[in-house]
Amino acid sequence: MENKLELLSSKIEKAKKGGGEERIAKQHAKGKLTARERIHLLLDPGSFEELGMLVEHRSQDFGMEKLQFLGDGVVTGFGTIDGRLVYVFSQDFTVFGGSLSETHAEKICKIMDLAMDNKAPVIGLNDSGGARIQEGVSSLGGYADIFYRNTVASGLIPQISAIMGPCAGGAAYSPAITDFTIMVEQSSYMFVTGPNVVKTVTNEEITSEELGGALTHASKSGVTHLTAANDKECILRIKKLLSYIPQSCDHKVEDLPMELGDEILPDLAKIIPSSPNQPYDMKEIISAIVDKDSFFEIHEKFADNIVIGFSRIGGKSIGIVANQPFSLAGVLDVNSSRKAGRFVRFCDAFNIPLLVLVDVPGFLPGTDQEWNGIIVNGAKLLYAFSEATVPRVSVIVRKAYGGAYDVMNSKHIGADLNYAWPSAEIAVMGAKGASEIIFRKEIKRADDQQAMLKQKEEEYADKFAHPYKATARGFIDEVIDPSYTRRKLIRAFRMLENKKTIRHNKKHGNIPL
Ligand code: HXC
């Protein structure tokens, strides 16, 4: 037995060395941690149980039969984060550049299957040169096996992808299907075709970083939800993100203990400027009404005319969607609708209540928006809210104009509670635009057209630029003093915590993708 144990230990030691000291040193020299170091940072100390440590690839071509690294370039298994079960795979760049072979893919699929059967999140730490070139189609098949599972797992268990090195070609489609992607700045990139192919096909000269680095995907494409300065920060951000989301669609996030005071915020109303056209930072309102320091923003640099993120209110985890008057006056456009729509669907799939803060002047006009499909993209957000059955509460803090009033979690599309501040303006359009249309003849006939327009604007504003018409019809449940907002919201989400909505039985809807 002793000899047998020795053999086992020597194999384990060998597996732990991955591609060897030299390649590990190279990895460190790039400022990157190894696959195992990342897992040890991510999981509770001593909780990691590795599976498939001694797996070997089956490739027989190009001399590969003589080149074996135990584990085959990916470390897989399960463990806990803050005591909660999670499944993890971490690609090992020191073994064939973390490239994906048939067996490497099988290891990932194995933990994904376990995660689905046992209803716990999967976290993928990606650092890979893509398909194992020596294996050809077996590797492509392996990718497809993963994509298929990503799709089956979608909405069942949370899936988080960290990009901590290269993630190119079709490999990028796995993170794209998962719920959240986080990229490490300067050391990671994602693209379907790299700079060389781009140069050949379009003659554009571009670096990997510019084409598909963390900042590009955080701000231009929206492919990544979060970024991190380095591997350590990336792991910390994954843990923080996980703290707001449940184990699966069958679970809820546990409430944090919370001792409540009177929760009245007398200064909240002062954030809204006296002129309705003056911008302000919606994030000031968010941080004032949620539990202290609990706001965790998602997609911060992408489509910043809408703010989305997780938070806690009275200890409960919630998702927030809020128009941001600081950017483009908070209009809805193609990107903000896509961004918020996907977030709403995530929250709905995983039983996370939604708080919607409204200050929206409408949809962004223009050929760019129309030709890029504002109709179909705006419809994504409308659809996502309409189908969501989680508790949904809105507060209209200032403008709620036109179709955007309907879209932003109005009562009509299934919101549970709709509050408005006295500063709310709920109407088809702003007073100026409305007056120019409906009083056009009177204005034209007037000796002083400007004075007449102003007078008509005032008349229209008196009639419509307030929350009371909507309140009289029951579209707003209550006009509230802003200082009571936090208290009202804590009580609202408590009241709604056992909400159950039964929908018609069907296979699935057809969201306007
Ligand atoms: C096999 C690979 C590999 C791969 C890297 N290696 N990529 N082995 N298959 N795809 C090996 C290298 O031979 C090298 O081995 C080690 O990993 C480290 O690679 P380096 O090139 O030295 O590292 P670096 O300079 O950091 O460059 C990293 C890289 C580059 C940019 C990722 O390796 C690269 O361009 N690789 C090829 C990428 C690619 O074309 N992949 C296929 C894409 S198609 P040694 O022994 O020297 O340490 C694809 C399709 C998926 O992925 C489709 C799914 C539907």
Side-chain angles (χ1 to χ4, degrees):
M1 186 65 177
E2 212 163 284
N3 287 351
K4 291 187 178 177
L5 278 174
E6 268 170 28
L7 176 64
L8 175 63
S9 328
S10 80
K11 278 182 183 286
I12 290 174
E13 277 317 299
K14 218 168 149 193
K16 283 188 175 167
K17 288 208 172 85
E21 296 298 343
E22 208 176 297
R23 291 193 184 90
I24 291 176
K26 263 193 180 172
Q27 178 87 347
H28 286 155
K30 287 183 198 158
K32 291 161 70 177
L33 298 173
T34 65
R36 281 171 200 285
E37 287 166 346
R38 288 167 176 164
I39 288 185
H40 288 132
L41 264 183
L42 179 68
L43 299 181
D44 295 337
S47 71
F48 183 50
E49 293 293 338
E50 188 167 344
L51 303 173
M53 189 191 230
L54 306 182
V55 160
E56 299 179 16
H57 70 72
R58 307 184 193 107
S59 181
Q60 296 294 313
D61 298 312
F62 309 108
M64 286 293 278
E65 63 282 4
K66 295 188 213 97
L67 263 183
Q68 279 292 354
F69 295 91
L70 295 177
D72 201 26
V74 64
V75 183
T76 55
F78 61 94
T80 58
I81 294 178
D82 295 330
R84 291 168 52 185
L85 174 67
V86 294
Y87 293 81
V88 188
F89 70 85
S90 179
Q91 292 181 311
D92 184 350
F93 192 81
T94 70
V95 174
F96 305 118
S99 57
L100 187 131
S101 66
E102 188 179 25
T103 41
H104 178 128
E106 282 169 2
K107 285 180 66 174
I108 295 176
C109 290
K110 192 188 268 184
I111 61 131
M112 292 181 76
D113 289 340
L114 280 168
M116 286 189 266
D117 288 348
N118 294 286
K119 302 276 175 67
V122 175
I123 300 167
L125 309 179
N126 296 268
D127 187 359
S128 164
R132 176 88 47 89
I133 293 166
Q134 296 89 335
E135 292 204 11
V137 73
S138 305
S139 166
L140 299 186
Y143 269 119
D145 290 335
I146 296 171
F147 304 156
Y148 175 71
R149 281 168 178 76
N150 285 138
T151 308
V152 174
S154 181
L156 182 72
I157 51 171
Q159 301 179 81
I160 300 173
S161 300
I163 314 299
M164 308 180 84
C167 181
Y173 285 109
S174 171
I177 302 173
T178 64
D179 299 301
F180 294 102
T181 297
I182 171 162
M183 292 182 76
V184 180
E185 289 158 24
Q186 303 301 327
S187 59
S188 75
Y189 53 83
M190 296 173 86
F191 36 66
V192 172
T193 51
N196 293 342
V197 179
V198 169
K199 168 87 179 118
T200 312
V201 177
T202 70
N203 215 17
E204 289 166 287
E205 299 245 13
I206 192 155
T207 63
S208 291
E209 184 60 28
E210 286 166 335
L211 183 64
L215 290 179
T216 297
H217 283 311
S219 58
K220 290 189 197 311
S221 69
V223 163
T224 196
H225 300 86
L226 298 162
T227 60
N230 51 45
D231 283 15
K232 269 193 188 155
E233 192 187 284
C234 176
I235 301 286
L236 287 176
R237 300 210 85 192
I238 294 172
K239 291 193 201 194
K240 177 92 177 153
L241 171 61
L242 202 68
S243 71
Y244 296 97
I245 63 187
Q247 290 298 90
S248 77
C249 64
D250 290 340
H251 296 85
K252 282 187 179 178
V253 187
E254 273 190 35
D255 294 352
L256 289 182
M258 181 87 205
E259 259 186 46
L260 293 172
D262 64 9
E263 308 303 338
I264 295 171
L265 307 165
D267 290 337
L268 203 52
K270 295 183 192 150
I271 298 173
I272 304 275
S274 48
S275 156
N277 295 324
Q278 210 175 313
Y280 63 93
D281 187 359
M282 182 62 92
K283 288 187 211 170
E284 276 187 47
I285 295 184
I286 295 174
S287 10
I289 59 180
V290 301
D291 297 351
K292 196 166 183 304
D293 297 329
S294 69
F295 184 53
F296 184 77
E297 190 169 356
I298 305 286
H299 259 153
E300 186 179 350
K301 297 186 183 74
F302 180 68
D304 60 2
N305 42 329
I306 207 155
V307 177
I308 59 169
F310 296 104
S311 207
R312 296 257 176 187
I313 189 151
K316 281 193 183 311
S317 176
I318 56 164
I320 295 181
V321 177
N323 308 113
Q324 172 57 293
F326 243 180
S327 174
L328 295 172
V331 284
L332 286 178
D333 62 359
V334 168
N335 285 343
S336 61
S337 302
R338 284 200 295 126
K339 164 177 162 177
R342 186 157 166 81
F343 182 70
V344 167
R345 295 196 102 214
F346 175 83
C347 291
D348 187 47
F350 291 104
N351 313 311
I352 301 170
L354 285 161
L355 168 63
V356 181
L357 300 173
V358 184
D359 187 348
V360 63
F363 281 97
L364 184 63
T367 49
D368 173 66
Q369 288 295 306
E370 295 294 346
W371 296 346
N372 280 301
I374 183 61
I375 294 174
V376 92
N377 284 290
K380 284 177 186 151
L381 182 57
L382 174 59
Y383 188 108
F385 273 130
S386 298
E387 81 168 349
T389 57
V390 286
R392 288 158 51 189
V393 180
S394 280
V395 183
I396 300 178
V397 301
R398 195 167 64 175
K399 296 172 189 165
Y401 280 125
Y405 156 73
D406 282 345
V407 171
M408 288 302 293
N409 199 38
S410 63
K411 180 70 90 199
H412 322 272
I413 61 169
D416 298 293
L417 287 176
N418 295 70
Y419 293 114
W421 285 4
S423 46
E425 301 169 21
I426 308 169
V428 171
M429 55 170 67
K432 186 165 185 286
S435 306
E436 281 168 351
I437 296 169
I438 58 178
F439 303 118
R440 192 173 42 202
K441 285 186 190 140
E442 280 167 83
I443 294 168
K444 220 173 161 187
R445 279 198 300 266
D447 294 335
D448 184 344
Q449 296 190 353
Q450 279 311 316
M452 180 59 91
L453 173 62
K454 197 156 183 298
Q455 181 197 321
K456 291 294 174 192
E457 253 181 82
E458 276 163 17
E459 271 176 36
Y460 186 90
D462 279 351
K463 222 171 169 50
F464 293 112
H466 55 70
Y468 298 106
K469 281 237 181 276
T471 309
R473 300 199 67 109
F475 301 161
I476 296 297
D477 295 295
E478 199 185 344
V479 180
I480 58 173
D481 175 342
S483 51
Y484 287 89
T485 309
R486 176 169 159 79
R487 185 156 98 179
K488 295 263 175 202
L489 291 175
I490 292 171
R491 291 178 181 183
F493 284 114
R494 283 192 176 172
M495 180 276 282
L496 292 165
E497 75 185 352
N498 295 317
K499 179 188 173 190
K500 264 214 158 53
T501 303
I502 309 293
R503 297 276 201 219
H504 291 291
N505 221 351
K506 61 182 176 184
K507 194 169 174 195
H508 61 71
N510 189 11
I511 188 164
L513 292 175

